[in-house]
Amino acid sequence: KSMQALPQEEQYNSSCKIIRLINGEDGSMSKLELHKYHTENLNNILKIVKEQESLPRIIHSVYWNSGRLAMELSARLNIPYVHSVISNSRGRVKRGAKEPLLQREHYEQDIYNHASIILCVSEDEKKDLTDFYGISADKLIVCGQFIAQPFQSPAHDANGFPRLNSKLTEQEQRLAAELYNNAVHIQETSDKFWLYKAFTYLGRMDENKGVIQILQAWYALNRSYKTQCPPLWMVGGSVSEIVSIRNKAKKYIPELPALEENHRLVWWGYLDVDGL
């Protein structure tokens, strides 16, 4: 943790406990800085593990910083580790993303080589590991990720009827929509109020997420179609991260401040679940 206000230890339930390690000064910290605390975190984890009544039977790591720790803990304690990839450097670079930490791919290679099992979220990710890292498909498991029910169907039907209580079956949902909203078909009115929405980006405000390209693409549409182009809402990031992206974007979008002032481009910053 980088925010000291968070509790050091938290007992979630009878079989799950979280212990947080402090990295850096109090306040927000970029995850690009995490690798600098590797040795410190390794020593702290070893100390915590050795204070337990018995050694764990397996280690699970997520992402490459955690993977480095798992690999070294595995070697020292003679415990196997399973690794979840999330994203890989070589695949990202191959598709045109910027890699700010050049050493990352070499750590990933070692992590993948030594892991007992690697969990992938998609067949594409599995293919990245076989093509770019030479990892045997035998130890790669595509297990996907849980998708919350609200994301499995549109928020509204074609007539604008909202998705109802998730306990309704698909058939009951359809019948309710027909019963309560069938009288107001969008195509029956020339009023276009229903179309006035916004393009929305949700994610970190970082160059390697393609944020600059998203802003450039929207700006091209906005210049061509003017008021017919929906505004752009940018959701995520701290103020300092947004300022950094804005400064870079001004190179391509000189009228950025005017677009913001007219609410064509809106920065929402980080939002919690209720805010989203």
Side-chain angles (χ1 to χ4, degrees):
K1 65 174 181 173
S2 62
M3 297 173 67
Q4 267 73 350
L6 290 170
Q8 189 96 10
E9 295 189 11
E10 215 168 330
Q11 190 75 43
Y12 275 20
N13 54 46
S14 60
S15 59
C16 179
K17 177 182 180 181
I18 184 168
I19 301 174
R20 294 184 173 96
L21 305 179
I22 296 174
N23 283 174
E25 301 297 324
D26 192 14
S28 61
M29 182 180 72
S30 169
K31 69 176 184 178
L32 297 178
E33 302 293 310
L34 276 176
H35 69 99
K36 297 178 181 178
Y37 298 92
H38 173 76
T39 302
E40 179 184 329
N41 287 336
L42 178 67
N43 291 333
N44 283 329
I45 292 171
L46 280 168
K47 183 173 180 292
I48 292 167
V49 167
K50 289 177 179 179
E51 287 174 353
Q52 307 305 308
E53 293 180 3
S54 59
L55 289 177
R57 287 169 23 191
I58 197 164
I59 299 168
H60 176 222
S61 54
V62 180
Y63 202 59
W64 71 277
N65 286 300
S66 173
R68 282 183 69 196
L69 291 167
M71 180 172 63
E72 294 191 33
L73 287 166
S74 174
R76 293 199 191 193
L77 302 174
N78 196 29
I79 299 169
Y81 72 97
V82 172
H83 183 70
S84 290
V85 181
I86 304 300
S87 73
N88 67 88
S89 183
R90 289 176 186 167
R92 284 156 51 93
V93 170
K94 190 73 173 178
R95 286 181 279 274
K98 177 185 175 183
E99 178 52 72
L101 292 172
L102 299 180
Q103 68 269 43
R104 172 181 164 181
E105 63 171 300
H106 302 294
Y107 286 127
E108 287 177 336
Q109 185 71 70
D110 283 343
I111 293 162
Y112 302 156
N113 286 342
H114 292 93
S116 296
I117 294 291
I118 299 174
L119 306 178
C120 304
V121 296
S122 67
E123 290 291 344
D124 284 340
E125 189 168 76
K126 176 180 178 180
K127 190 172 187 304
D128 276 0
L129 268 61
T130 56
D131 290 355
F132 303 134
Y133 295 86
I135 303 303
S136 170
D138 293 342
K139 71 174 185 180
L140 301 175
I141 298 176
V142 178
C143 56
Q145 286 185 319
F146 171 75
I147 300 175
Q149 186 62 38
F151 291 103
Q152 296 187 34
S153 60
H156 299 90
D157 70 10
N159 290 320
F161 193 72
R163 181 175 56 223
L164 290 175
N165 191 309
S166 60
K167 292 180 181 177
L168 292 182
T169 65
E170 187 177 338
Q171 174 73 359
E172 289 171 332
Q173 172 76 54
R174 188 178 61 79
L175 291 173
E178 289 178 357
L179 176 63
Y180 294 108
N181 211 40
N182 205 34
V184 189
H185 287 278
I186 297 301
Q187 60 266 31
E188 291 177 1
T189 176
S190 59
D191 196 338
K192 296 181 179 176
F193 73 94
W194 189 249
L195 303 178
Y196 300 145
K197 293 183 171 66
F199 290 121
T200 308
Y201 165 82
L202 291 88
R204 283 197 301 120
M205 292 299 151
D206 195 292
E207 273 192 275
N208 63 23
K209 288 292 186 183
V211 173
I212 296 296
Q213 286 84 352
I214 289 168
L215 291 166
Q216 286 178 288
W218 173 80
Y219 182 54
L221 286 174
N222 189 66
R223 291 184 69 184
S224 297
Y225 296 99
K226 300 189 169 44
T227 56
Q228 287 182 293
C229 175
L232 176 62
W233 287 3
M234 303 294 287
V235 181
S238 65
V239 175
S240 59
E241 288 168 338
I242 294 170
V243 167
S244 176
I245 284 290
R246 279 185 77 250
N247 289 337
K248 291 169 184 172
K250 285 178 184 176
K251 176 182 175 182
Y252 309 99
I253 310 175
E255 58 189 292
L256 188 74
L259 292 167
E260 294 165 339
E261 188 175 342
N262 293 314
H263 302 108
R264 298 291 296 152
L265 174 61
V266 180
W267 305 92
W268 286 98
Y270 175 80
L271 296 175
D272 62 11
V273 173
D274 291 337
L276 293 173

